[in-house]
Amino acid sequence: VRDGGWVIFQNCVFENNGTGLLIDSAFSDLNSPAMLGLVFRNNRTGLHLVNVPGGTPLQLNNCLFSRNDTDIQNDCNNLYDSRTSVFE
């Protein structure tokens, strides 16, 4: 996801990649930065945050991070809430 864009992610699987999902969007009409039920499995990096628009905490709801070398790489130090997610 690059500048100006945002995608609503729900129930997706990111598996066997270098980077499962990279977010680098400095601006967007984002009003709900939530991800629901995502699976990040067997990636070098599961979720890579370069820029998250709006500085709003990213909601990682009921996501699974399993067997990634790095589960979340947060280069922009954006807040995220992963309390309902599972890390294996």
Side-chain angles (χ1 to χ4, degrees):
V1 179
R2 295 285 183 178
D3 273 339
W6 191 259
V7 178
I8 304 298
F9 294 99
Q10 294 183 356
N11 304 312
C12 301
V13 176
F14 301 93
E15 186 170 27
N16 299 321
N17 298 291
T19 299
L21 175 61
L22 181 138
I23 297 177
D24 185 7
S25 187
F27 64 92
S28 177
D29 291 333
L30 169 73
N31 47 350
S32 179
M35 298 182 179
L36 174 63
L38 305 184
V39 175
F40 298 91
R41 183 183 301 122
N42 292 329
N43 301 292
R44 281 193 296 270
T45 302
L47 175 60
H48 187 175
L49 304 176
V50 176
N51 284 302
V52 177
T56 305
L58 188 63
Q59 302 298 312
L60 301 172
N61 299 324
N62 301 311
C63 296
L64 171 65
F65 292 84
S66 178
R67 298 187 306 267
N68 300 296
D69 294 338
T70 301
D71 289 320
I72 301 172
Q73 182 175 334
N74 188 3
D75 293 350
C76 60
N77 294 315
N78 195 79
L79 296 176
Y80 61 88
D81 182 354
S82 60
R83 289 177 288 175
T84 62
S85 292
V86 174
F87 294 83
E88 303 179 329

